[in-house]
């Protein structure tokens, strides 16, 4: 290693993902090996992503991490497993201009600094661990010049958080549960990229909630221990659904896609109810959103929108196309208008062009919306939704070369 002190940095951006066939239950808690395959859609990183800068320097005396500006501990097993696995794959790095030469074996002694930031409100209860661990592993792999491809990296990100392995790719992604005891074949593969089905529009309703939810990790552990429905789901239901979902995605068959997505979300929440003690992730607002979508789909004769809910009350609504998304947003804004003091600009975020298509420019336009005809006696529930995010399927991880986007200082390796 050169004597002079230097800092080498890499910044990456990684998307979050939403499962349409859910992962719920582990057969190995440490390696994070699931009881069934799962399939997800990667969400556009322009609206929901994690940005992570990783740095290495001989002047660092310990591994450190900052999340959204606050220092957090890296001592947890999941972080340690990811760091160890990536270090084991590190290769020689040389940067003559900066006088940097790191031999393969040096990586074991060198410490890293990590700064991570979510471009969406963390309080929203949107899965941030998926994008977070995927970004950590992807950025470290690039810093250490690991030669593994994204599928191989996904098997490392999986050890940070199961759902993270699916954030290594854009478009539609399958996490193959694998058979090997060491987890080496439990990894993510891309089914199709984001261009394959680019008509889809995604609207996320961030639902207001007072209650602190059971974490996915604890929830699924309880389900594995107590739910017979989970056993049946993993063995009999999911394998068939995975095949059908792959077909639906390949053929862009929205009818089948929507039916499978909604059924799988509902079964996941049924498993939660079948758990002892029962887990309630959805609330009254979530149920009202389901009912709103079901009534509309039913009145149209063919599904216009699919819904899916993770371990929380937020609804992820996938519309067949822009026209369906525009109508959906009008219906949602009628049923869930912003509370009086909120402004529309912060109530509908992400791709605001859908608001424009819906002919909505200000609160007066929301007030003038007609009630959805398919919902008899439709009520307006002000304040039950905190805000909406309009987005679409998106691409996988990227390296960011613009130094101004780095979260660590290029000379000190400390947060900017
Ligand atoms: C409901 O990946 O957060 O979102 O592996 O314990 O970190 P750990 O759990 P996590 O679980 C996600 C569960 C889910 C469904 C899914 O994303 O497939």
């Amino acid at each position: 290693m050169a004597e002079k002190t230097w800092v080498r940095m890499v910044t990456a951006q990684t998307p979050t993902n939403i499962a349409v066939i859910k992962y719920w239950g582990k057969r190995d808690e440490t390696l994070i090996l699931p009881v069934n395959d799962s399939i997800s859609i990667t969400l556009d990183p322009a609206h929901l992503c994690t940005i992570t800068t990783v740095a290495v320097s001989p002047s660092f005396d310990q591994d450190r991490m900052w999340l959204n500006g606050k220092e957090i501990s890296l001592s947890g097993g999941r972080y340690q497993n990811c760091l160890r696995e990536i270090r084991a794959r590190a290769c020689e790095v040389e940067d003559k201009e900066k006088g940097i030469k790191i031999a393969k074996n040096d990586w074991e002694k060198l410490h890293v600094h990590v700064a991570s930031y979510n471009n969406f409100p963390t309080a929203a209860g949107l899965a941030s661990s998926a994008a977070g661990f995927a970004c950590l592993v992807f950025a470290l792999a690039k810093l250490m010049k690991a030669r593994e491809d994204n599928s191989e990296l996904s098997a490392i990100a999986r050890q940070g958080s199961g759902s993270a392995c699916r954030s290594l790719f854009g478009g539609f992604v399958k996490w193959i549960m694998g058979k090997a005891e060491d987890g080496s074949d439990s990894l993510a593969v891309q089914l199709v990229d984001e261009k394959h089905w680019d008509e889809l529009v995604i609207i996320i309703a961030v639902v207001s909630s007072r209650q602190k939810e059971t974490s996915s990790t604890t929830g699924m552990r309880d389900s594995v221990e107590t739910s017979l429905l989970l056993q049946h789901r993993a063995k009999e239901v999911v394998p068939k659904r995975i095949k059908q979902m792959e077909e639906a995605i390949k053929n862009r068959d929205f009818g089948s896609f929507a039916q499978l997505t909604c059924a799988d979300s509902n079964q996941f929440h049924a498993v939660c109810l079948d758990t002892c003690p029962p887990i309630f992730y959805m609330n009254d607002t979530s149920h009202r959103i389901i009912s709103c979508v079901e009534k509309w789909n039913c009145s149209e004769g063919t599904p216009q929108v699919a819904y899916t809910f993770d371990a929380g009350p937020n609804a992820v609504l996938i519309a067949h196309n822009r026209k369906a998304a525009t109508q959906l947003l009008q219906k949602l804004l009628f049923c869930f208008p912003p509370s009086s003091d909120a402004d529309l600009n912060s109530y509908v975020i992400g791709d605001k062009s859908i608001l424009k298509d819906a002919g909505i420019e200000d609160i007066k336009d929301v007030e003038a919306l007609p009630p959805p005809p398919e919902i008899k006696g439709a009520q307006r529930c002000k304040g039950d939704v905190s805000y909406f995010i309009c987005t679409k399927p998106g691409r996988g991880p990227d390296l960011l070369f613009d130094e101004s986007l780095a979260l660590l200082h290029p000379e000190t390796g400390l947060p900017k």
Side-chain angles (χ1 to χ4, degrees):
M1 245 182 288
E3 285 303 303
K4 200 172 129 264
T5 273
W6 44 260
V7 178
R8 180 177 147 80
M9 290 197 323
V10 165
T11 301
Q13 163 188 291
T14 301
T16 136
N17 71 78
I18 177 76
V20 289
I21 301 290
K22 304 288 183 196
Y23 146 55
W24 194 252
K26 299 181 184 73
R27 59 180 203 277
D28 185 312
E29 289 268 342
T30 316
L31 288 169
I32 311 197
L33 301 177
V35 294
N36 57 255
D37 293 346
S38 54
I39 293 180
S40 59
I41 309 184
T42 297
L43 303 182
D44 188 346
H47 309 127
L48 294 153
C49 77
T50 297
I51 293 177
T52 299
T53 299
V54 290
V56 61
S57 168
S59 67
F60 298 166
D61 55 8
Q62 55 172 320
D63 292 339
R64 294 177 76 182
M65 174 158 179
W66 294 265
L67 178 60
N68 294 323
K70 249 184 81 188
E71 181 153 19
I72 61 160
S73 163
L74 277 173
S75 64
R78 290 173 171 217
Y79 281 115
Q80 289 300 314
N81 291 347
C82 289
L83 285 168
R84 186 195 60 240
E85 292 301 312
I86 281 289
R87 277 196 170 105
R89 289 161 179 82
C91 293
E92 184 184 291
V93 171
E94 188 167 12
D95 182 337
K96 286 205 174 105
E97 231 169 78
K98 285 193 174 169
I100 303 174
K101 188 168 161 78
I102 310 170
K104 200 171 158 53
N105 296 336
D106 291 340
W107 285 107
E108 275 164 36
K109 291 165 266 156
L110 286 165
H111 293 288
V112 292
H113 282 184
V114 180
S116 207
Y117 158 84
N118 298 325
N119 75 345
F120 54 94
T122 1
L126 297 163
S128 51
S129 67
F133 275 106
C135 208
L136 174 73
V137 168
F138 182 79
L140 284 174
K142 302 299 159 197
L143 180 78
M144 300 185 183
K145 287 223 158 62
R147 296 200 183 94
E148 277 64 23
D149 65 22
N150 282 14
S151 262
E152 290 163 314
L153 295 182
S154 80
I156 302 177
R158 188 202 75 227
Q159 299 175 54
S161 182
S163 52
C165 73
R166 297 184 311 236
S167 274
L168 264 308
F169 294 100
F172 287 80
V173 185
K174 176 175 167 183
W175 173 10
I176 302 168
M177 63 181 284
K179 289 197 197 82
E181 263 185 39
D182 66 356
S184 52
D185 58 355
S186 185
L187 38 77
V189 293
Q190 185 178 55
L191 295 175
V192 289
D193 71 15
E194 62 280 12
K195 287 179 222 93
H196 170 78
W197 202 352
D198 61 359
E199 303 180 282
L200 300 179
V201 176
I202 299 170
I203 300 181
I204 304 172
V206 177
V207 170
S208 321
S209 151
R210 263 155 269 111
Q211 143 202 351
K212 173 90 188 87
E213 283 126 27
T214 313
S215 77
S216 311
T217 309
T218 315
M220 69 175 86
R221 187 182 301 141
D222 289 350
S223 293
V224 168
E225 280 169 13
T226 62
S227 169
L228 284 176
L229 180 56
L230 179 139
Q231 310 295 332
H232 172 68
R233 165 179 166 73
K235 200 162 156 251
E236 306 291 339
V237 182
V238 176
K240 291 192 192 98
R241 276 191 189 153
I242 289 278
K243 284 204 189 104
Q244 293 166 339
M245 183 58 96
E246 285 191 57
E247 253 333 270
I249 292 167
K250 194 173 91 197
N251 302 325
R252 297 185 206 91
D253 171 356
F254 191 79
S256 304
F257 170 81
Q259 188 270 322
L260 290 162
T261 299
C262 299
D264 203 70
S265 172
N266 290 333
Q267 187 176 68
F268 152 51
H269 290 277
V271 166
C272 292
L273 268 188
D274 190 47
T275 298
C276 184
I279 313 164
F280 311 101
Y281 284 127
M282 294 195 284
N283 64 17
D284 286 354
T285 309
S286 319
H287 293 148
R288 272 209 303 277
I289 295 173
I290 292 184
S291 153
C292 182
V293 171
E294 288 284 359
K295 282 184 182 140
W296 185 32
N297 283 345
C298 188
S299 75
E300 292 286 333
T302 51
Q304 305 297 307
V305 177
Y307 54 82
T308 186
F309 295 77
D310 274 351
N314 299 333
V316 179
L317 304 166
I318 307 162
H320 188 182
N321 49 35
R322 238 186 127 82
K323 187 170 165 240
T326 308
Q327 286 174 281
L328 172 67
L329 190 59
Q330 288 167 331
K331 291 174 197 293
L332 288 170
L333 286 172
F334 176 88
C335 297
F336 304 99
S339 52
S340 326
D341 51 346
D343 79 303
L344 198 58
N345 207 33
S346 49
Y347 195 59
V348 179
I349 62 170
D351 177 4
K352 289 181 197 276
S353 67
I354 296 163
L355 251 189
K356 227 172 151 212
D357 282 11
I360 298 167
E361 274 171 20
D362 55 35
I363 289 288
K364 281 201 207 75
D365 299 323
V366 174
E367 280 160 9
L369 283 168
E374 67 281 2
I375 309 175
K376 285 195 185 70
Q379 301 278 319
R380 309 193 89 159
C381 307
K382 258 191 192 175
D384 286 358
V385 167
S386 303
Y387 56 94
F388 293 101
I389 307 172
C390 297
T391 185
K392 60 179 193 312
R395 63 179 193 280
D398 272 321
L399 283 174
L400 304 180
F401 296 104
D402 178 351
E403 278 199 10
S404 68
L405 297 174
L407 302 172
L408 295 170
H409 197 280
E411 269 134 45
T412 59
L414 290 167
K416 276 183 177 168

